[in-house]
């Protein structure tokens, strides 16, 4: 038997700068044994397969799962007086996110309306209240002011992401947003192909070009049960009609027969090895989606294609618990009729400029514009526009799950500005509750996570805001009280006793979140007897020749933090002492009738006040020793001479503010 090897004039150029592709001339590259047997081709891999999977009507479905309502129940999620999510049964009544609550109820009297969870002062976690007065932002059952919480949706999103990782080992998964993720199937697909077709694992002895010999003719592919196959020979429906939520066709994926492979399509477009890869990935994606639906109760939709850009586009082809597959051969007819301004980054000023310059609206219209002409008008970087119009996207799928989020922010734009300093403490506590919940959730996954700094930011209208920050000491148990106490102190330092605040926005944030170092002490650790404390160097009180240390090198800063042993004649601890590393001064908290925890709190407060003293000195040395106040108007300073930033050119000017 003689093996036939396919011939093609198309070369796979990957990232090589050998000139841009002409209209879709890279859709059928020669795939060789080298491509199949290599493991590090990345975006240059002609067998690359990417999927974009998103949760259908995610916020609304989260509430359906929480309430245990029937999947046919129309439901919307409300945030104050705006709808932020509409499930598919509700869309059948013509309800959209642009509607008001009263209008939605007119269309569907039995509509279930759920207001998003809110934080309330005095509560450790956000809750759902019977009704919310949107005019005063108060729950009618009490006078507690509220703040919206999306924490429940974040947690459910993490559950879905964790299940995908469990069901799809070997895949790179990039969480693109709270309700969608990109999945790179390239590695497991290659392994499955080699297992299914073991004769591909070795280069044949008679291969004319050795490892660079093209793979033999691929087998036929059955697309049945794998999803909606986007047709090769016919343009797909317009995007507006393909979106059920916009065309009042929530059940389109069920009401219309799925597009499947037919004999004429195989005759016009022979099967390729990339089609084989697509079919393997589609099967894996379908299994994972079904597990998410069965075990967690969330329906998802997906698009499977050769890169991230096309996967995202194809995911919208059929929605609601469905997935679509875009073969390379189907790319031209799928892209040409699309409005090019619906492509990401082409919907703003750049898209408007291109439309005006060439009087075009669709991708097909723009294919007549040469790369040279596009670069003459919009600069060298417009090669990206030229390529994306032809379905080329070289961006990688990167697993961000292992990338530590270095900060957490809780913010509130106030419906009624804060005018008195005392009013700020309520919102500090509300924001502290959100930070406590989010950090404790993160510590369930990584117990040693801890922030270095707590930052408070306040803004007055559209003016530039003012900030104040403080080191955040490690505690064994993170509570709302711990964060609120530090936040209250920052608030007092930030606003002082001003009587004209008008603060319209407050933000509280953790920064410098990282894995705590081994041996890091908590506040309770400050109370260990001297005999068990670990001394470092000589006593800074008796010996001033100790080299200065960065106060941030340790939690709480300073050269040493110690306590004397308990007095045998007393039941309370002896004094806590702190030797400043910068000036050598000894700060002490004398024995009192307070509990050990209260004494430790006073000790930390005294230490922080001393650190702030040095901070003020540093500011004075820089010629700025004024107290920061939100209501205080800054004195104009002479502008420093700066180098003039060159005016952006070409495509860059459309992305600069």
């Amino acid at each position: 038997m003689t093996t036939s090897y396919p011939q093609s004039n198309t070369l796979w150029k990957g990232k090589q700068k050998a000139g841009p592709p002409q209209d879709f001339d890279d859709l059928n590259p020669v795939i060789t044994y080298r491509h199949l047997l290599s493991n590090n081709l990345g975006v240059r891999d002609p067998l690359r397969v990417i999927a974009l999977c998103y949760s259908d009507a995610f916020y609304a479905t989260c509430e359906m799962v929480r309430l245990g309502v029937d999947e046919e129940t129309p439901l919307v999620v409300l945030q104050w007086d705006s709808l932020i999510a509409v499930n598919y049964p509700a869309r059948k009544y013509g309800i959209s996110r642009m509607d008001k609550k009263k209008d939605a109820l007119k269309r569907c009297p039995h509509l279930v309306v759920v207001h998003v969870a809110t934080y309330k002062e005095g509560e450790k976690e956000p809750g759902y209240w019977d009704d919310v007065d949107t005019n005063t932002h108060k729950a009618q059952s009490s006078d507690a002011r509220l703040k919206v919480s999306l924490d429940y949706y974040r947690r459910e999103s993490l559950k879905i992401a964790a299940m995908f990782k469990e069901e799809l080992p070997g895949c790179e998964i990039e969480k693109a947003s709270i309700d969608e993720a990109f999945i790179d199937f390239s590695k497991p697909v290659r392994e499955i192909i080699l297992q299914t077709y073991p004769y591909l694992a070795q280069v044949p002895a008679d291969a004319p070009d050795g490892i660079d010999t093209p793979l033999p003719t691929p087998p036929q592919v059955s697309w049945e049960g794998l999803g909606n196959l986007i047709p090769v020979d016919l343009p797909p429906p317009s995007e507006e009609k393909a979106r059920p939520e916009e065309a009042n066709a929530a059940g389109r994926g069920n009401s219309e027969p799925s597009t499947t492979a037919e004999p004429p399509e195989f005759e016009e477009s022979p099967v390729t090895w990339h089609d084989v890869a697509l079919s393997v990935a589609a099967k894996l994606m379908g299994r994972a989606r079904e597990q998410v639906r069965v075990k967690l109760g969330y329906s998802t939709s997906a698009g499977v294609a050769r890169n991230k850009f096309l996967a995202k586009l194809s995911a919208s082809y059929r929605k609601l618990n469905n997935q679509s597959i875009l073969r390379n051969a189907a790319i031209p007819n799928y892209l040409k009729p699309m409005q090019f301004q619906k492509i990401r980054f082409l919907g703003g000023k750049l898209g408007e400029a291109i439309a005006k310059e060439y009087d075009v609206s669709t991708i097909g219209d723009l294919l007549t514009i040469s790369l040279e002409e596009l670069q003459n008008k919009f600069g060298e970087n417009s090669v990206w526009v030229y390529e994306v119009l032809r379905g080329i996207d070289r961006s990688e799928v990167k697993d961000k799950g292992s990338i530590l989020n270095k900060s957490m922010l809780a913010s509130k734009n106030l419906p009624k500005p804060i005018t008195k300093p005392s009013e700020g403490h309520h919102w500090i506590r509300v924001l502290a509750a959100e930070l406590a919940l989010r950090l404790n959730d993160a510590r369930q996954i990584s117990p040693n996570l801890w922030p270095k700094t707590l930052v408070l930011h306040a803004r007055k209208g559209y003016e530039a805001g003012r900030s104040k920050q403080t080191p955040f000491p490690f505690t064994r148990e993170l509570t709302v009280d711990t964060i609120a106490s530090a936040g209250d102190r920052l608030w007092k330092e930030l606003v002082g006793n001003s009587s004209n605040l008008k603060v319209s926005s407050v933000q509280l944030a953790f920064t410098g979140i990282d894995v705590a170092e081994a041996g890091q002490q908590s506040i309770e650790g400050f109370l260990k007897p001297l005999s068990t404390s670990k001394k470092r160097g000589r006593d800074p009180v008796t010996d001033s020749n100790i080299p200065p240390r960065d106060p941030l090198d340790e939690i709480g800063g300073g050269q040493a933090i110690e306590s004397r042993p308990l007095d045998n004649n007393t039941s309370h601890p002896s004094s806590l002492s702190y030797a400043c590393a910068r000036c050598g001064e000894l700060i002490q908290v004398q024995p009192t009738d307070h509990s050990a925890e209260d004494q430790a709190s006073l000790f930390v407060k005294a230490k922080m006040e001393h650190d702030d003293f040095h901070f003020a000195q540093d500011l004075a040395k820089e010629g700025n020793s004024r107290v920061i106040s939100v209501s205080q108007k800054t004195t104009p300073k002479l502008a420093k001479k700066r180098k003039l930033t060159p005016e952006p050119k070409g495509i860059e000017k459309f992305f600069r503010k």
Side-chain angles (χ1 to χ4, degrees), residues 9 14 35 64 86 171 228 261 263 294 327 335 382 419 429 445 448 569 580 587 598 608 610 628 647:
N9 294 326
H35 293 133
M64 293 173 70
V86 181
C171 292
N228 302 293
V294 172
R327 300 173 64 198
L335 291 182
S382 57
T419 57
R429 188 169 186 84
I445 301 173
N448 292 327
N569 298 321
C580 177
I587 293 92
D598 290 340
M608 288 182 173
H610 185 77
I628 299 175
E647 194 69 22

Side-chain angles (χ1 to χ4, degrees), residues 536-553:
R536 302 183 221 197
R538 291 172 288 182
D539 187 349
V541 179
T542 58
D543 192 341
S544 60
N545 295 324
I546 292 181
R549 296 168 61 95
D550 186 342
L552 297 181
D553 283 346

Side-chain angles (χ1 to χ4, degrees), residues 31 208 474:
I31 301 178
F474 185 82

Side-chain angles (χ1 to χ4, degrees), residues 542-582:
T542 58
D543 192 341
S544 60
N545 295 324
I546 292 181
R549 296 168 61 95
D550 186 342
L552 297 181
D553 283 346
E554 304 175 23
I555 294 295
Q559 185 69 18
I561 299 177
E562 300 178 345
S563 66
R564 301 300 188 266
L566 291 174
D567 190 313
N568 292 331
N569 298 321
T570 61
S571 59
H572 56 75
S574 61
S575 64
L576 295 172
S577 63
Y578 158 73
C580 177
R582 298 184 64 176

